[in-house]
Amino acid sequence: MLNLPAAQAVFVRALRMEPTQEGARVTYQIRLANPTAQFPLFQILHPKVALGAMKERHATFTRHGGHWELTGMDEVFQKAQ
C-alpha cells in the first residue's frame, strides 16, 4: 500500500493533562493545514475532513526513570516519513 501525504497536521495547543497510574494522558488540538496535490483525492475518501478544522487528539505517556515515553495515541492520520 502506498502512503501519499494529503496535508500536514499542525499542533495547535495542549488542552489538559490527566495523571494516570503509569504516567499521564494528554489531550491536545491539531489543525489540518498545508494541503498537497493529493488532498482532493483524500477529501473524496474522507468528505467530512476540511482544511483548517481543529480536532482533539489524545496521547498517553509513561514515565521511565527520568524520562517520558509516548506509549499510545488516537491519531487517525499518519505522520509523514
Side-chain angles (χ1 to χ4, degrees):
M1 180 176 181
L2 180 62
N3 289 326
L4 297 173
Q8 179 182 17
V10 178
F11 175 82
V12 176
R13 65 183 169 169
L15 298 173
R16 64 186 162 276
M17 192 238 0
E18 304 162 39
T20 65
Q21 282 187 321
E22 299 82 24
R25 181 173 190 248
V26 176
T27 301
Y28 60 98
Q29 275 184 328
I30 61 167
R31 180 176 41 84
L32 199 57
N34 306 325
T36 68
Q38 291 77 29
F39 191 75
L41 294 172
F42 179 78
Q43 274 196 305
I44 291 170
L45 296 172
H46 305 281
K48 294 181 181 181
V49 176
L51 283 176
M54 287 199 252
K55 305 280 184 187
E56 281 191 14
R57 296 289 185 244
H58 304 91
T60 53
F61 294 87
T62 303
R63 186 148 181 111
H64 290 286
H67 69 278
W68 290 91
E69 181 179 312
L70 176 66
T71 54
M73 58 190 334
D74 62 0
E75 281 293 337
V76 176
F77 306 111
Q78 295 182 2
K79 181 178 176 182
Q81 299 295 324

